[in-house]
PDB file of all heavy atoms in Angstrom:
ATOM      1  N   THR L  15      20.408  30.963  43.864  1.00 98.00           N
ATOM      2  CA  THR L  15      20.345  29.506  43.852  1.00 98.00           C
ATOM      3  C   THR L  15      21.088  28.970  42.640  1.00 98.00           C
ATOM      4  O   THR L  15      20.806  29.385  41.508  1.00 98.00           O
ATOM      5  CB  THR L  15      18.897  29.007  43.815  1.00 98.00           C
ATOM      6  OG1 THR L  15      18.177  29.540  44.934  1.00 98.00           O
ATOM      7  CG2 THR L  15      18.841  27.492  43.869  1.00 98.00           C
ATOM      8  N   ILE L  16      22.014  28.046  42.874  1.00 98.00           N
ATOM      9  CA  ILE L  16      22.729  27.395  41.790  1.00 98.00           C
ATOM     10  C   ILE L  16      22.101  26.036  41.547  1.00 98.00           C
ATOM     11  O   ILE L  16      21.703  25.338  42.489  1.00 98.00           O
ATOM     12  CB  ILE L  16      24.239  27.271  42.105  1.00 98.00           C
ATOM     13  CG1 ILE L  16      25.005  26.804  40.872  1.00 98.00           C
ATOM     14  CG2 ILE L  16      24.487  26.365  43.307  1.00 98.00           C
ATOM     15  CD1 ILE L  16      26.532  26.886  41.030  1.00 98.00           C
ATOM     16  N   SER L  17      21.985  25.660  40.285  1.00 97.00           N
ATOM     17  CA  SER L  17      21.419  24.365  39.930  1.00 97.00           C
ATOM     18  C   SER L  17      22.084  23.890  38.641  1.00 97.00           C
ATOM     19  O   SER L  17      22.774  24.650  37.966  1.00 97.00           O
ATOM     20  CB  SER L  17      19.901  24.457  39.759  1.00 97.00           C
ATOM     21  OG  SER L  17      19.571  25.352  38.710  1.00 97.00           O
ATOM     22  N   ARG L  18      21.850  22.621  38.315  1.00 95.00           N
ATOM     23  CA  ARG L  18      22.451  22.088  37.107  1.00 95.00           C
ATOM     24  C   ARG L  18      21.502  21.140  36.408  1.00 95.00           C
ATOM     25  O   ARG L  18      20.694  20.464  37.044  1.00 95.00           O
ATOM     26  CB  ARG L  18      23.778  21.387  37.439  1.00 95.00           C
ATOM     27  CG  ARG L  18      23.663  20.181  38.357  1.00 95.00           C
ATOM     28  CD  ARG L  18      25.033  19.718  38.839  1.00 95.00           C
ATOM     29  NE  ARG L  18      25.880  19.313  37.721  1.00 95.00           N
ATOM     30  CZ  ARG L  18      27.200  19.169  37.802  1.00 95.00           C
ATOM     31  NH1 ARG L  18      27.819  19.432  38.948  1.00 95.00           N
ATOM     32  NH2 ARG L  18      27.910  18.785  36.767  1.00 95.00           N
ATOM     33  N   ASP L  19      21.618  21.110  35.078  1.00 93.00           N
ATOM     34  CA  ASP L  19      20.889  20.167  34.240  1.00 93.00           C
ATOM     35  C   ASP L  19      21.953  19.324  33.554  1.00 93.00           C
ATOM     36  O   ASP L  19      22.566  19.762  32.578  1.00 93.00           O
ATOM     37  CB  ASP L  19      20.020  20.920  33.232  1.00 93.00           C
ATOM     38  CG  ASP L  19      19.169  19.982  32.389  1.00 93.00           C
ATOM     39  OD1 ASP L  19      19.560  18.816  32.194  1.00 93.00           O
ATOM     40  OD2 ASP L  19      18.123  20.432  31.912  1.00 93.00           O
ATOM     41  N   ASN L  20      22.196  18.137  34.066  1.00 89.00           N
ATOM     42  CA  ASN L  20      23.280  17.308  33.533  1.00 89.00           C
ATOM     43  C   ASN L  20      23.027  16.898  32.085  1.00 89.00           C
ATOM     44  O   ASN L  20      23.969  16.764  31.307  1.00 89.00           O
ATOM     45  CB  ASN L  20      23.469  16.068  34.407  1.00 89.00           C
ATOM     46  CG  ASN L  20      24.037  16.411  35.772  1.00 89.00           C
ATOM     47  OD1 ASN L  20      24.784  17.381  35.916  1.00 89.00           O
ATOM     48  ND2 ASN L  20      23.680  15.634  36.775  1.00 89.00           N
ATOM     49  N   ALA L  21      21.784  16.703  31.726  1.00 91.00           N
ATOM     50  CA  ALA L  21      21.466  16.313  30.355  1.00 91.00           C
ATOM     51  C   ALA L  21      21.862  17.390  29.353  1.00 91.00           C
ATOM     52  O   ALA L  21      22.196  17.102  28.208  1.00 91.00           O
ATOM     53  CB  ALA L  21      19.987  15.996  30.233  1.00 91.00           C
ATOM     54  N   LYS L  22      21.811  18.645  29.802  1.00 93.00           N
ATOM     55  CA  LYS L  22      22.150  19.770  28.924  1.00 93.00           C
ATOM     56  C   LYS L  22      23.551  20.308  29.190  1.00 93.00           C
ATOM     57  O   LYS L  22      23.971  21.281  28.558  1.00 93.00           O
ATOM     58  CB  LYS L  22      21.139  20.901  29.107  1.00 93.00           C
ATOM     59  CG  LYS L  22      19.723  20.546  28.679  1.00 93.00           C
ATOM     60  CD  LYS L  22      18.789  21.738  28.852  1.00 93.00           C
ATOM     61  CE  LYS L  22      17.382  21.401  28.388  1.00 93.00           C
ATOM     62  NZ  LYS L  22      16.458  22.555  28.547  1.00 93.00           N
ATOM     63  N   ASN L  23      24.265  19.694  30.149  1.00 94.00           N
ATOM     64  CA  ASN L  23      25.600  20.195  30.536  1.00 94.00           C
ATOM     65  C   ASN L  23      25.558  21.687  30.873  1.00 94.00           C
ATOM     66  O   ASN L  23      26.486  22.445  30.539  1.00 94.00           O
ATOM     67  CB  ASN L  23      26.630  19.945  29.437  1.00 94.00           C
ATOM     68  CG  ASN L  23      27.005  18.489  29.327  1.00 94.00           C
ATOM     69  OD1 ASN L  23      26.928  17.741  30.299  1.00 94.00           O
ATOM     70  ND2 ASN L  23      27.390  18.068  28.137  1.00 94.00           N
ATOM     71  N   THR L  24      24.493  22.093  31.521  1.00 96.00           N
ATOM     72  CA  THR L  24      24.274  23.503  31.806  1.00 96.00           C
ATOM     73  C   THR L  24      24.089  23.722  33.302  1.00 96.00           C
ATOM     74  O   THR L  24      23.417  22.930  33.973  1.00 96.00           O
ATOM     75  CB  THR L  24      23.047  24.022  31.048  1.00 96.00           C
ATOM     76  OG1 THR L  24      23.286  23.882  29.641  1.00 96.00           O
ATOM     77  CG2 THR L  24      22.789  25.497  31.352  1.00 96.00           C
ATOM     78  N   VAL L  25      24.705  24.789  33.794  1.00 97.00           N
ATOM     79  CA  VAL L  25      24.537  25.204  35.181  1.00 97.00           C
ATOM     80  C   VAL L  25      23.838  26.559  35.183  1.00 97.00           C
ATOM     81  O   VAL L  25      24.116  27.410  34.321  1.00 97.00           O
ATOM     82  CB  VAL L  25      25.896  25.303  35.888  1.00 97.00           C
ATOM     83  CG1 VAL L  25      25.750  25.939  37.265  1.00 97.00           C
ATOM     84  CG2 VAL L  25      26.505  23.922  36.048  1.00 97.00           C
ATOM     85  N   TYR L  26      22.943  26.736  36.125  1.00 98.00           N
ATOM     86  CA  TYR L  26      22.163  27.967  36.217  1.00 98.00           C
ATOM     87  C   TYR L  26      22.455  28.684  37.541  1.00 98.00           C
ATOM     88  O   TYR L  26      22.809  28.052  38.540  1.00 98.00           O
ATOM     89  CB  TYR L  26      20.666  27.667  36.142  1.00 98.00           C
ATOM     90  CG  TYR L  26      20.268  26.899  34.923  1.00 98.00           C
ATOM     91  CD1 TYR L  26      20.133  25.509  34.958  1.00 98.00           C
ATOM     92  CD2 TYR L  26      20.034  27.547  33.716  1.00 98.00           C
ATOM     93  CE1 TYR L  26      19.779  24.787  33.837  1.00 98.00           C
ATOM     94  CE2 TYR L  26      19.673  26.842  32.583  1.00 98.00           C
ATOM     95  CZ  TYR L  26      19.541  25.460  32.650  1.00 98.00           C
ATOM     96  OH  TYR L  26      19.198  24.758  31.532  1.00 98.00           O
ATOM     97  N   LEU L  27      22.288  29.987  37.521  1.00 98.00           N
ATOM     98  CA  LEU L  27      22.329  30.759  38.749  1.00 98.00           C
ATOM     99  C   LEU L  27      21.104  31.662  38.757  1.00 98.00           C
ATOM    100  O   LEU L  27      20.996  32.568  37.926  1.00 98.00           O
ATOM    101  CB  LEU L  27      23.607  31.592  38.858  1.00 98.00           C
ATOM    102  CG  LEU L  27      23.783  32.336  40.186  1.00 98.00           C
ATOM    103  CD1 LEU L  27      24.032  31.336  41.320  1.00 98.00           C
ATOM    104  CD2 LEU L  27      24.951  33.327  40.102  1.00 98.00           C
ATOM    105  N   GLN L  28      20.179  31.379  39.665  1.00 98.00           N
ATOM    106  CA  GLN L  28      18.989  32.205  39.836  1.00 98.00           C
ATOM    107  C   GLN L  28      19.312  33.303  40.835  1.00 98.00           C
ATOM    108  O   GLN L  28      19.694  33.013  41.970  1.00 98.00           O
ATOM    109  CB  GLN L  28      17.824  31.362  40.342  1.00 98.00           C
ATOM    110  CG  GLN L  28      16.546  32.138  40.566  1.00 98.00           C
ATOM    111  CD  GLN L  28      15.930  32.659  39.286  1.00 98.00           C
ATOM    112  OE1 GLN L  28      15.916  31.964  38.270  1.00 98.00           O
ATOM    113  NE2 GLN L  28      15.427  33.895  39.320  1.00 98.00           N
ATOM    114  N   LEU L  29      19.168  34.543  40.403  1.00 98.00           N
ATOM    115  CA  LEU L  29      19.478  35.689  41.247  1.00 98.00           C
ATOM    116  C   LEU L  29      18.176  36.395  41.597  1.00 98.00           C
ATOM    117  O   LEU L  29      17.506  36.944  40.720  1.00 98.00           O
ATOM    118  CB  LEU L  29      20.392  36.673  40.520  1.00 98.00           C
ATOM    119  CG  LEU L  29      21.820  36.255  40.143  1.00 98.00           C
ATOM    120  CD1 LEU L  29      21.836  35.264  38.987  1.00 98.00           C
ATOM    121  CD2 LEU L  29      22.638  37.466  39.780  1.00 98.00           C
ATOM    122  N   ASN L  30      17.807  36.360  42.862  1.00 98.00           N
ATOM    123  CA  ASN L  30      16.601  37.017  43.352  1.00 98.00           C
ATOM    124  C   ASN L  30      16.956  38.125  44.335  1.00 98.00           C
ATOM    125  O   ASN L  30      18.066  38.161  44.877  1.00 98.00           O
ATOM    126  CB  ASN L  30      15.680  36.012  44.034  1.00 98.00           C
ATOM    127  CG  ASN L  30      15.155  34.958  43.099  1.00 98.00           C
ATOM    128  OD1 ASN L  30      14.995  35.182  41.895  1.00 98.00           O
ATOM    129  ND2 ASN L  30      14.887  33.779  43.638  1.00 98.00           N
ATOM    130  N   SER L  31      16.017  39.032  44.552  1.00 98.00           N
ATOM    131  CA  SER L  31      16.205  40.130  45.510  1.00 98.00           C
ATOM    132  C   SER L  31      17.530  40.844  45.262  1.00 98.00           C
ATOM    133  O   SER L  31      18.317  41.093  46.187  1.00 98.00           O
ATOM    134  CB  SER L  31      16.156  39.595  46.949  1.00 98.00           C
ATOM    135  OG  SER L  31      14.932  38.941  47.202  1.00 98.00           O
ATOM    136  N   LEU L  32      17.769  41.177  44.007  1.00 98.00           N
ATOM    137  CA  LEU L  32      19.051  41.766  43.636  1.00 98.00           C
ATOM    138  C   LEU L  32      19.257  43.136  44.270  1.00 98.00           C
ATOM    139  O   LEU L  32      18.300  43.905  44.455  1.00 98.00           O
ATOM    140  CB  LEU L  32      19.156  41.862  42.120  1.00 98.00           C
ATOM    141  CG  LEU L  32      19.511  40.538  41.441  1.00 98.00           C
ATOM    142  CD1 LEU L  32      19.153  40.557  39.974  1.00 98.00           C
ATOM    143  CD2 LEU L  32      20.995  40.241  41.620  1.00 98.00           C
ATOM    144  N   LYS L  33      20.510  43.410  44.591  1.00 98.00           N
ATOM    145  CA  LYS L  33      20.904  44.665  45.213  1.00 98.00           C
ATOM    146  C   LYS L  33      21.934  45.351  44.317  1.00 98.00           C
ATOM    147  O   LYS L  33      22.633  44.687  43.545  1.00 98.00           O
ATOM    148  CB  LYS L  33      21.549  44.399  46.577  1.00 98.00           C
ATOM    149  CG  LYS L  33      20.700  43.588  47.533  1.00 98.00           C
ATOM    150  CD  LYS L  33      21.472  43.264  48.798  1.00 98.00           C
ATOM    151  CE  LYS L  33      20.641  42.425  49.762  1.00 98.00           C
ATOM    152  NZ  LYS L  33      21.401  42.097  51.001  1.00 98.00           N
ATOM    153  N   PRO L  34      22.071  46.671  44.420  1.00 97.00           N
ATOM    154  CA  PRO L  34      23.084  47.366  43.607  1.00 97.00           C
ATOM    155  C   PRO L  34      24.486  46.791  43.804  1.00 97.00           C
ATOM    156  O   PRO L  34      25.275  46.763  42.849  1.00 97.00           O
ATOM    157  CB  PRO L  34      22.988  48.803  44.107  1.00 97.00           C
ATOM    158  CG  PRO L  34      21.560  48.950  44.536  1.00 97.00           C
ATOM    159  CD  PRO L  34      21.206  47.622  45.142  1.00 97.00           C
ATOM    160  N   GLU L  35      24.782  46.316  44.990  1.00 97.00           N
ATOM    161  CA  GLU L  35      26.112  45.748  45.241  1.00 97.00           C
ATOM    162  C   GLU L  35      26.328  44.398  44.563  1.00 97.00           C
ATOM    163  O   GLU L  35      27.444  43.858  44.605  1.00 97.00           O
ATOM    164  CB  GLU L  35      26.391  45.629  46.752  1.00 97.00           C
ATOM    165  CG  GLU L  35      25.315  44.931  47.545  1.00 97.00           C
ATOM    166  CD  GLU L  35      24.336  45.895  48.198  1.00 97.00           C
ATOM    167  OE1 GLU L  35      23.912  46.872  47.522  1.00 97.00           O
ATOM    168  OE2 GLU L  35      23.989  45.663  49.369  1.00 97.00           O
ATOM    169  N   ASP L  36      25.304  43.838  43.947  1.00 98.00           N
ATOM    170  CA  ASP L  36      25.466  42.617  43.157  1.00 98.00           C
ATOM    171  C   ASP L  36      25.959  42.925  41.745  1.00 98.00           C
ATOM    172  O   ASP L  36      26.250  42.003  40.982  1.00 98.00           O
ATOM    173  CB  ASP L  36      24.134  41.860  43.060  1.00 98.00           C
ATOM    174  CG  ASP L  36      23.663  41.322  44.402  1.00 98.00           C
ATOM    175  OD1 ASP L  36      24.503  40.797  45.158  1.00 98.00           O
ATOM    176  OD2 ASP L  36      22.452  41.433  44.673  1.00 98.00           O
ATOM    177  N   THR L  37      26.041  44.196  41.404  1.00 98.00           N
ATOM    178  CA  THR L  37      26.525  44.587  40.080  1.00 98.00           C
ATOM    179  C   THR L  37      27.949  44.108  39.872  1.00 98.00           C
ATOM    180  O   THR L  37      28.845  44.389  40.678  1.00 98.00           O
ATOM    181  CB  THR L  37      26.459  46.117  39.921  1.00 98.00           C
ATOM    182  OG1 THR L  37      25.091  46.527  39.956  1.00 98.00           O
ATOM    183  CG2 THR L  37      27.094  46.553  38.611  1.00 98.00           C
ATOM    184  N   ALA L  38      28.170  43.360  38.799  1.00 98.00           N
ATOM    185  CA  ALA L  38      29.486  42.783  38.515  1.00 98.00           C
ATOM    186  C   ALA L  38      29.423  42.028  37.195  1.00 98.00           C
ATOM    187  O   ALA L  38      28.343  41.816  36.636  1.00 98.00           O
ATOM    188  CB  ALA L  38      29.899  41.816  39.628  1.00 98.00           C
ATOM    189  N   VAL L  39      30.591  41.622  36.719  1.00 98.00           N
ATOM    190  CA  VAL L  39      30.654  40.640  35.648  1.00 98.00           C
ATOM    191  C   VAL L  39      30.649  39.261  36.309  1.00 98.00           C
ATOM    192  O   VAL L  39      31.459  39.007  37.207  1.00 98.00           O
ATOM    193  CB  VAL L  39      31.912  40.813  34.783  1.00 98.00           C
ATOM    194  CG1 VAL L  39      31.964  39.727  33.708  1.00 98.00           C
ATOM    195  CG2 VAL L  39      31.925  42.195  34.140  1.00 98.00           C
ATOM    196  N   TYR L  40      29.743  38.414  35.891  1.00 98.00           N
ATOM    197  CA  TYR L  40      29.599  37.079  36.462  1.00 98.00           C
ATOM    198  C   TYR L  40      30.258  36.075  35.519  1.00 98.00           C
ATOM    199  O   TYR L  40      29.952  36.041  34.319  1.00 98.00           O
ATOM    200  CB  TYR L  40      28.127  36.750  36.673  1.00 98.00           C
ATOM    201  CG  TYR L  40      27.557  37.438  37.890  1.00 98.00           C
ATOM    202  CD1 TYR L  40      27.362  38.812  37.895  1.00 98.00           C
ATOM    203  CD2 TYR L  40      27.228  36.720  39.039  1.00 98.00           C
ATOM    204  CE1 TYR L  40      26.865  39.462  39.019  1.00 98.00           C
ATOM    205  CE2 TYR L  40      26.721  37.355  40.166  1.00 98.00           C
ATOM    206  CZ  TYR L  40      26.548  38.725  40.151  1.00 98.00           C
ATOM    207  OH  TYR L  40      26.048  39.360  41.267  1.00 98.00           O
ATOM    208  N   TYR L  41      31.149  35.261  36.089  1.00 98.00           N
ATOM    209  CA  TYR L  41      31.902  34.279  35.324  1.00 98.00           C
ATOM    210  C   TYR L  41      31.528  32.863  35.744  1.00 98.00           C
ATOM    211  O   TYR L  41      31.395  32.569  36.940  1.00 98.00           O
ATOM    212  CB  TYR L  41      33.406  34.454  35.551  1.00 98.00           C
ATOM    213  CG  TYR L  41      33.966  35.759  35.053  1.00 98.00           C
ATOM    214  CD1 TYR L  41      34.027  36.873  35.896  1.00 98.00           C
ATOM    215  CD2 TYR L  41      34.432  35.890  33.752  1.00 98.00           C
ATOM    216  CE1 TYR L  41      34.547  38.075  35.450  1.00 98.00           C
ATOM    217  CE2 TYR L  41      34.961  37.091  33.303  1.00 98.00           C
ATOM    218  CZ  TYR L  41      35.014  38.179  34.159  1.00 98.00           C
ATOM    219  OH  TYR L  41      35.531  39.357  33.707  1.00 98.00           O
ATOM    220  N   CYS L  42      31.426  32.008  34.766  1.00 98.00           N
ATOM    221  CA  CYS L  42      31.198  30.594  34.991  1.00 98.00           C
ATOM    222  C   CYS L  42      32.558  29.899  35.043  1.00 98.00           C
ATOM    223  O   CYS L  42      33.471  30.244  34.286  1.00 98.00           O
ATOM    224  CB  CYS L  42      30.356  30.046  33.849  1.00 98.00           C
ATOM    225  SG  CYS L  42      30.059  28.297  33.904  1.00 98.00           S
ATOM    226  N   ARG L  43      32.666  28.911  35.916  1.00 98.00           N
ATOM    227  CA  ARG L  43      33.900  28.148  36.049  1.00 98.00           C
ATOM    228  C   ARG L  43      33.570  26.673  36.117  1.00 98.00           C
ATOM    229  O   ARG L  43      32.566  26.269  36.705  1.00 98.00           O
ATOM    230  CB  ARG L  43      34.651  28.572  37.311  1.00 98.00           C
ATOM    231  CG  ARG L  43      36.001  27.894  37.495  1.00 98.00           C
ATOM    232  CD  ARG L  43      36.607  28.231  38.847  1.00 98.00           C
ATOM    233  NE  ARG L  43      37.941  27.654  39.012  1.00 98.00           N
ATOM    234  CZ  ARG L  43      38.579  27.548  40.189  1.00 98.00           C
ATOM    235  NH1 ARG L  43      38.009  28.014  41.298  1.00 98.00           N
ATOM    236  NH2 ARG L  43      39.777  27.015  40.244  1.00 98.00           N
ATOM    237  N   ALA L  44      34.447  25.857  35.519  1.00 97.00           N
ATOM    238  CA  ALA L  44      34.333  24.401  35.585  1.00 97.00           C
ATOM    239  C   ALA L  44      35.722  23.856  35.887  1.00 97.00           C
ATOM    240  O   ALA L  44      36.669  24.181  35.175  1.00 97.00           O
ATOM    241  CB  ALA L  44      33.803  23.828  34.282  1.00 97.00           C
ATOM    242  N   PHE L  45      35.843  23.042  36.939  1.00 95.00           N
ATOM    243  CA  PHE L  45      37.186  22.617  37.299  1.00 95.00           C
ATOM    244  C   PHE L  45      37.194  21.260  37.988  1.00 95.00           C
ATOM    245  O   PHE L  45      36.180  20.752  38.465  1.00 95.00           O
ATOM    246  CB  PHE L  45      37.871  23.667  38.177  1.00 95.00           C
ATOM    247  CG  PHE L  45      37.205  23.913  39.513  1.00 95.00           C
ATOM    248  CD1 PHE L  45      37.672  23.282  40.656  1.00 95.00           C
ATOM    249  CD2 PHE L  45      36.138  24.792  39.627  1.00 95.00           C
ATOM    250  CE1 PHE L  45      37.084  23.519  41.884  1.00 95.00           C
ATOM    251  CE2 PHE L  45      35.538  25.036  40.852  1.00 95.00           C
ATOM    252  CZ  PHE L  45      36.009  24.403  41.992  1.00 95.00           C
ATOM    253  N   SER L  46      38.403  20.675  37.982  1.00 94.00           N
ATOM    254  CA  SER L  46      38.689  19.448  38.702  1.00 94.00           C
ATOM    255  C   SER L  46      40.107  19.596  39.236  1.00 94.00           C
ATOM    256  O   SER L  46      40.699  20.675  39.143  1.00 94.00           O
ATOM    257  CB  SER L  46      38.553  18.242  37.785  1.00 94.00           C
ATOM    258  OG  SER L  46      39.548  18.292  36.775  1.00 94.00           O
ATOM    259  N   SER L  47      40.672  18.524  39.732  1.00 92.00           N
ATOM    260  CA  SER L  47      42.036  18.602  40.257  1.00 92.00           C
ATOM    261  C   SER L  47      43.047  18.855  39.152  1.00 92.00           C
ATOM    262  O   SER L  47      44.138  19.377  39.402  1.00 92.00           O
ATOM    263  CB  SER L  47      42.385  17.318  41.009  1.00 92.00           C
ATOM    264  OG  SER L  47      42.225  16.201  40.172  1.00 92.00           O
ATOM    265  N   ASN L  48      42.695  18.506  37.921  1.00 92.00           N
ATOM    266  CA  ASN L  48      43.646  18.636  36.822  1.00 92.00           C
ATOM    267  C   ASN L  48      43.303  19.722  35.810  1.00 92.00           C
ATOM    268  O   ASN L  48      44.162  20.092  35.005  1.00 92.00           O
ATOM    269  CB  ASN L  48      43.755  17.310  36.057  1.00 92.00           C
ATOM    270  CG  ASN L  48      44.310  16.196  36.921  1.00 92.00           C
ATOM    271  OD1 ASN L  48      45.242  16.401  37.688  1.00 92.00           O
ATOM    272  ND2 ASN L  48      43.732  15.019  36.805  1.00 92.00           N
ATOM    273  N   ASP L  49      42.095  20.185  35.805  1.00 93.00           N
ATOM    274  CA  ASP L  49      41.637  21.114  34.779  1.00 93.00           C
ATOM    275  C   ASP L  49      40.911  22.301  35.398  1.00 93.00           C
ATOM    276  O   ASP L  49      40.295  22.174  36.451  1.00 93.00           O
ATOM    277  CB  ASP L  49      40.687  20.416  33.794  1.00 93.00           C
ATOM    278  CG  ASP L  49      41.341  19.235  33.111  1.00 93.00           C
ATOM    279  OD1 ASP L  49      42.288  19.461  32.343  1.00 93.00           O
ATOM    280  OD2 ASP L  49      40.899  18.097  33.355  1.00 93.00           O
ATOM    281  N   ASP L  50      40.938  23.421  34.692  1.00 96.00           N
ATOM    282  CA  ASP L  50      40.298  24.638  35.187  1.00 96.00           C
ATOM    283  C   ASP L  50      39.912  25.489  33.994  1.00 96.00           C
ATOM    284  O   ASP L  50      40.785  25.930  33.225  1.00 96.00           O
ATOM    285  CB  ASP L  50      41.262  25.401  36.096  1.00 96.00           C
ATOM    286  CG  ASP L  50      40.562  26.459  36.920  1.00 96.00           C
ATOM    287  OD1 ASP L  50      39.362  26.716  36.672  1.00 96.00           O
ATOM    288  OD2 ASP L  50      41.196  27.047  37.819  1.00 96.00           O
ATOM    289  N   TYR L  51      38.597  25.713  33.818  1.00 97.00           N
ATOM    290  CA  TYR L  51      38.097  26.457  32.666  1.00 97.00           C
ATOM    291  C   TYR L  51      37.186  27.591  33.136  1.00 97.00           C
ATOM    292  O   TYR L  51      36.439  27.440  34.108  1.00 97.00           O
ATOM    293  CB  TYR L  51      37.306  25.545  31.722  1.00 97.00           C
ATOM    294  CG  TYR L  51      38.106  24.366  31.223  1.00 97.00           C
ATOM    295  CD1 TYR L  51      38.003  23.129  31.844  1.00 97.00           C
ATOM    296  CD2 TYR L  51      38.959  24.493  30.122  1.00 97.00           C
ATOM    297  CE1 TYR L  51      38.729  22.045  31.393  1.00 97.00           C
ATOM    298  CE2 TYR L  51      39.693  23.408  29.670  1.00 97.00           C
ATOM    299  CZ  TYR L  51      39.564  22.191  30.309  1.00 97.00           C
ATOM    300  OH  TYR L  51      40.296  21.116  29.857  1.00 97.00           O
ATOM    301  N   TRP L  52      37.240  28.707  32.371  1.00 97.00           N
ATOM    302  CA  TRP L  52      36.418  29.877  32.682  1.00 97.00           C
ATOM    303  C   TRP L  52      35.660  30.317  31.434  1.00 97.00           C
ATOM    304  O   TRP L  52      36.161  30.190  30.319  1.00 97.00           O
ATOM    305  CB  TRP L  52      37.293  31.039  33.149  1.00 97.00           C
ATOM    306  CG  TRP L  52      37.924  30.832  34.487  1.00 97.00           C
ATOM    307  CD1 TRP L  52      39.095  30.184  34.752  1.00 97.00           C
ATOM    308  CD2 TRP L  52      37.425  31.283  35.754  1.00 97.00           C
ATOM    309  NE1 TRP L  52      39.355  30.196  36.099  1.00 97.00           N
ATOM    310  CE2 TRP L  52      38.355  30.874  36.738  1.00 97.00           C
ATOM    311  CE3 TRP L  52      36.305  31.998  36.151  1.00 97.00           C
ATOM    312  CZ2 TRP L  52      38.168  31.152  38.097  1.00 97.00           C
ATOM    313  CZ3 TRP L  52      36.126  32.271  37.503  1.00 97.00           C
ATOM    314  CH2 TRP L  52      37.060  31.849  38.461  1.00 97.00           C
ATOM    315  N   GLY L  53      34.479  30.858  31.650  1.00 97.00           N
ATOM    316  CA  GLY L  53      33.736  31.483  30.573  1.00 97.00           C
ATOM    317  C   GLY L  53      34.184  32.921  30.376  1.00 97.00           C
ATOM    318  O   GLY L  53      35.046  33.424  31.095  1.00 97.00           O
TER     319      GLY L  53
END
């Protein structure tokens, strides 16, 4: 589940029922038509 707290400028990703195939590096992205940023 993805959610956001606009007051904190923070986005969350709740990961439940995790599986071995979910193993990865997870990257945050913020973008618009003119800008594109990655964590």
Side-chain angles (χ1 to χ4, degrees):
T15 303
I16 189 170
S17 62
R18 63 191 299 164
D19 184 333
N20 291 330
K22 295 182 178 180
N23 288 333
T24 299
V25 171
Y26 304 96
L27 185 68
Q28 179 67 40
L29 295 73
N30 296 331
S31 302
L32 281 161
K33 305 174 181 180
E35 51 264 43
D36 294 318
T37 295
V39 178
Y40 283 70
Y41 295 91
C42 176
R43 184 187 183 195
F45 63 97
S46 66
S47 57
N48 296 319
D49 301 294
D50 195 351
Y51 303 97
W52 291 85

